[in-house]
Amino acid sequence: MEIRLDIAIIILGAALVTFIPRVLPLMLLSRITIPEWGMRWLSYVPIAVMAALVAQELLVTGGRFTVLSTNVELIAALPTFWVAVKTRSLLATVLTGIVTLMLLRLLF
């Protein structure tokens, strides 16, 4: 099988674009000591990113805010969030979300 030069360059470029932003910060940050306040601040980044992603999926449809009465995803998120807080089980949370959304879409 023969690979065209332009395709090979695109693949290598995509690999570099993926590799550099992941490895460069690790290489730089492994050589310095981050102050305690910086580590505390960084501990909130995953939570903030997840909250932004979930909020956008639940509250925005077609670039506009959706009304609660027509938003079955938001209604299904309520019992799913409750199960997540109570059980701290990923499997129970995912199953609750899937079953709740399926039932709501079946009913509405």
Side-chain angles (χ1 to χ4, degrees), residues 71-98:
N71 192 347
V72 292
E73 288 85 4
L74 183 58
I75 296 168
L78 298 174
T80 303
F81 180 71
W82 183 81
V83 168
V85 170
K86 288 294 184 185
T87 66
R88 302 227 180 245
S89 165
L90 180 62
L91 180 63
T93 303
V94 169
L95 288 176
T96 302
I98 290 171

